Amino acid sequence: QVQLVESGGGVVQPGRSLKLSCAASGFPFSNHAIHWIRQAPGRGLEWVAVVSNDGGTIYYADSVKGRFTISRDNSRSTMYLQLNSLRAEDTAIYYCVREPYLVVAVATFYFDWWGQGALVTVSS
Amino acid sequence: QSALTQPASVSGSPGQSITISCTGTSSDVGGYNRVSWYQQHPGKAPKLLIYEASNRPSGVPDRFSGSKSGNTASLTISGLQAEDEADYYCCSYRSGSSYVFGSGTRVTV
C-alpha cells in the first residue's frame, strides 16, 4: 500500500528554519517525481516545489525560491524540504505528493497520492 | 502567481448535476492539456478525480467528468450524492515549469 508520511512540522519563529521529511513506502520511490504542496489554514492549495525521480531536476514556486530547498535520498526512500527565512505567510499544512509515471523520468503533470501533511506554524 | 479562477461555491440537490468552472490563461489551462481536479473533504488530504482534463483514474465514479475548452476547464458531477459535499480544486501546469491551483469551490448538497 502506498504511504507518504510527513514529519518535522512545528512552531517556529519568523526568520528561523525548519526541515520537513517525507518517508515513502509501498511503491518504487526512485521512479517517481515528488512534490511539496501547501495549504494555509482555511485557504486553497499552493504548489511549492518538485524534485525529479533522480534528484537531478528541481523547480520552485516564486514565493519560496531562494528560501526553500527540496532534496531526496532514494536509498532511504525519503524526501526533504528545508525551509529557511520563514515568514508568517509560510504557515500551512505541507503535503508530500507523488506524481505518477508512465515512462520513468517523463513528467505526467498531476498528483495521484498525497500524504496526510505536516503543519508548520510561523509565529513569534 | 495568480490562482486559476473558480466559483467560490456551487450547490445542488441530490441527483442533480453541477458544473464547476476553472478559468486560466494561455500560459496554463489554455496552453496545455495538463489540467487535473482534486476533491478535499474537511481535515483530509486532497484526492485525484480527473487528470489530463478529462481522464478519470480507476476507482473514481463515472459521475465525475472533466472537459476543457480554450482557457476554461470544467468538472461536472452528475447524480449528486451527499458524500460529494467537499471542496474541489483544479490544477494546471504553467509555462516556466510550475503548477497553479484554482481558488477552490465549496460544493454543498
Side-chain angles (χ1 to χ4, degrees):
Chain A
Q1 180 183 353
V2 173
Q3 280 199 315
L4 295 164
V5 180
E6 302 91 340
S7 61
V11 181
V12 60
Q13 293 179 327
R16 303 297 290 268
S17 299
L18 200 65
K19 187 170 186 176
L20 302 180
S21 300
C22 171
S25 60
F27 67 98
F29 182 73
S30 62
N31 285 354
H32 291 263
I34 306 291
H35 301 249
W36 287 98
I37 293 169
R38 68 184 181 182
Q39 186 170 34
R43 305 292 295 275
L45 299 167
E46 180 187 13
W47 177 80
V48 173
V50 59
V51 58
S52 63
N53 69 303
D54 63 358
T57 302
I58 288 171
Y59 297 109
Y60 298 97
D62 289 343
S63 58
V64 306
K65 201 173 296 182
R67 300 188 300 121
F68 290 8
T69 302
I70 191 172
S71 62
R72 66 189 294 161
D73 183 344
N74 285 347
S75 68
R76 297 176 183 268
S77 295
T78 302
M79 67 172 292
Y80 307 95
L81 186 67
Q82 177 69 44
L83 296 73
N84 295 334
S85 303
L86 281 162
R87 307 166 180 166
E89 55 264 34
D90 295 319
T91 294
I93 296 172
Y94 285 75
Y95 293 102
C96 170
V97 184
R98 189 182 81 167
E99 179 178 336
Y101 79 98
L102 296 177
V103 177
V104 174
V106 176
T108 51
F109 305 101
Y110 62 100
F111 320 113
D112 70 341
W113 206 272
W114 298 61
Q116 285 306 300
L119 177 61
V120 173
T121 303
V122 183
S123 173
S124 54
Chain B
Q1 286 180 324
S2 53
L4 306 176
T5 301
Q6 295 182 232
S9 63
V10 174
S11 63
S13 300
Q16 286 187 329
S17 293
I18 61 170
T19 296
I20 302 168
S21 61
C22 168
T23 301
T25 69
S26 58
S27 295
D28 38 66
V29 175
Y32 310 91
N33 207 41
R34 295 165 180 170
V35 176
S36 51
W37 288 90
Y38 303 87
Q39 176 192 59
Q40 186 180 33
H41 286 107
K44 300 293 186 180
K47 172 191 171 185
L48 175 67
L49 290 178
I50 298 288
Y51 66 97
E52 293 173 355
S54 60
N55 293 328
R56 196 172 46 249
S58 60
V60 174
D62 59 7
R63 305 184 291 103
F64 295 91
S65 62
S67 63
K68 196 194 84 163
S69 178
N71 293 340
T72 298
S74 298
L75 173 73
T76 297
I77 309 175
S78 306
L80 203 59
Q81 298 183 6
E83 59 260 36
D84 298 333
E85 189 159 291
D87 293 327
Y88 292 82
Y89 295 92
C90 60
C91 180
S92 175
Y93 175 79
R94 174 175 276 179
S95 60
S97 301
S98 68
Y99 293 77
V100 58
F101 280 91
S103 46
T105 298
R106 173 70 54 87
V107 169
T108 303
V109 180

